């Protein structure tokens, strides 16, 4: 209630003021967590280990398809005559990328690219397939395997590799692509588990894969003339980085053991 005093001013009575101060405020209600069978199945399907199991199943299926179709027959039987020109290059690049996800060795695919399309087109198709396959493997590993595998990085070597890829992603991935000591698929999935960015990974893969891919493509294109200067230079470009990579890997291993 409002009371009027002698000076003509109006003041609120203590009872009214107390009523105004005790107005209840809205209390946030915590969200209700669903505990039904469907909700439990959804959480189980989206759990890190369920996604890792899906990744392993996909890789196993891809490897089985490769064993069934035998892509190495391209070196002996050649490309199907129904495809030619740019369409054949695009199909080969897509098949190249999928084969690398399924653990097919890149040197075999690079030789096939050079033998089928020549040095220049072979380099272009093989490099496109390399970036495509690396991107697919990186995406699969990042979405399906990272959450489950990162807690397992407890070994000294694993922690060192993860820290190197996370802090110096571009430089580390560029070195892994330039020197063929690290398997292509292993570099892809190790980078996916780390904190490396997409753009850094793809750019380092594209730039670092050019020399080695070009050497194999030229060797495949000139395989019919093994004494030609181009073939001999290509083989030297393959052997020298492999030797240097082996020496660097041995020295790094010795340095880690000495710690």
């Amino acid at each position: 209630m409002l009371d009027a005093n002698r000076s003509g001013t109006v003041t609120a009575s203590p009872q009214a003021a107390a009523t105004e101060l005790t107005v209840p405020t809205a209390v946030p209600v915590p969200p209700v967590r669903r505990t039904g069978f469907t909700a439990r199945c959804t959480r189980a399907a989206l759990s890190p280990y369920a996604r890792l199991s899906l990744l392993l199943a996909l890789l196993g299926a891809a490897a089985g398809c490769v064993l069934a179709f035998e892509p190495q027959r391209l070196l002996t039987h050649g490309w199907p005559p129904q495809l030619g020109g740019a369409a054949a290059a695009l199909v080969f690049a897509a098949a190249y990328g999928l084969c690398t996800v399924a653990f097919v060795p890149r040197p075999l695919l690079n030789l096939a690219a050079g033998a089928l399309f020549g040095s220049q087109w072979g380099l272009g198709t093989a490099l496109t397939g390399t970036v495509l396959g690396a991107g697919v493997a990186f995406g699969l590993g990042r979405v399906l395997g990272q959450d489950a595998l990162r807690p397992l990085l407890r070994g000294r070597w694993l922690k060192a590799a993860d820290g190197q890829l996370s802090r110096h992603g571009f430089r580390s991935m560029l070195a892994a692509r330039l020197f063929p000591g690290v398997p292509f698929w292993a570099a892809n999935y190790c980078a996916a588990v780390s904190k490396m960015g997409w753009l850094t990974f793809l750019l380092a893969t594209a730039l670092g894969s050019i020399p080695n891919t070009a050497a194999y493509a030229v060797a495949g294109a000139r395989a019919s003339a093994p004494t030609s200067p181009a073939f001999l230079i290509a083989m030297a470009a393959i052997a020298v980085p492999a030797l240097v990579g082996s020496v660097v890997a041995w020295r790094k291993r010795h340095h880690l053991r000495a710690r």
Side-chain angles (χ1 to χ4, degrees):
M1 295 179 62
L2 299 178
D3 298 331
N5 54 20
R6 294 181 179 179
S7 61
T9 59
V10 180
T11 59
S13 63
Q15 187 178 9
T19 304
E20 291 178 359
L21 293 175
T22 58
V23 175
T25 58
V27 179
V29 179
V32 179
R33 186 177 181 181
R34 297 180 179 179
T35 57
F37 178 76
T38 304
R40 290 197 299 268
C41 291
T42 302
R43 288 195 298 269
L46 296 178
S47 65
Y49 291 102
R51 285 181 286 166
L52 179 61
S53 300
L54 177 60
L55 174 61
L56 296 177
L58 290 175
L59 295 179
C65 291
V66 167
L67 292 176
F69 288 103
E70 299 180 355
Q72 65 271 17
R73 291 183 299 176
L74 292 175
L75 292 175
T76 56
H77 296 79
W79 191 253
Q82 297 84 357
L83 292 174
L90 291 176
V91 172
F92 182 85
Y96 185 115
L98 296 178
C99 286
T100 58
V101 176
F103 312 112
V104 175
R106 283 185 64 246
L108 176 66
L109 298 172
N110 292 333
L111 290 173
L116 295 174
F117 302 102
S119 300
Q120 296 181 356
W121 277 92
L123 172 61
T125 54
L127 194 61
T128 303
T130 296
V131 176
L132 176 63
V136 172
F138 186 87
L140 289 175
R142 177 62 56 88
V143 174
L144 299 178
Q146 187 185 45
D147 293 340
L149 293 177
R150 279 200 67 82
L152 302 179
L153 298 176
R154 296 170 182 169
R156 183 177 59 181
W157 284 38
L158 293 176
K159 286 184 177 180
D162 176 66
Q164 185 71 18
L165 290 173
S166 299
R167 292 191 300 268
H168 310 288
F170 182 82
R171 183 177 65 187
S172 301
M173 187 52 55
L174 187 66
R177 300 309 189 192
L178 286 173
F179 300 107
V182 180
F184 184 74
W185 60 270
N188 293 337
Y189 293 111
C190 287
V193 174
S194 72
K195 298 179 181 179
M196 184 185 302
W198 278 81
L199 183 60
T200 300
F201 172 77
L202 293 177
L203 185 60
T205 296
L207 295 177
S209 300
I210 291 176
N212 188 262
T213 305
Y216 275 101
V218 172
R222 303 300 178 90
S224 59
T227 57
S228 63
F231 181 83
L232 295 177
I233 293 174
M235 295 303 297
I238 294 171
V240 171
L243 179 61
V244 173
S246 300
V247 173
V248 171
W250 182 83
R251 293 188 63 181
K252 289 289 184 180
R253 180 183 179 185
H254 181 73
H255 179 68
L256 288 175
R257 284 186 172 181
R259 287 184 178 182

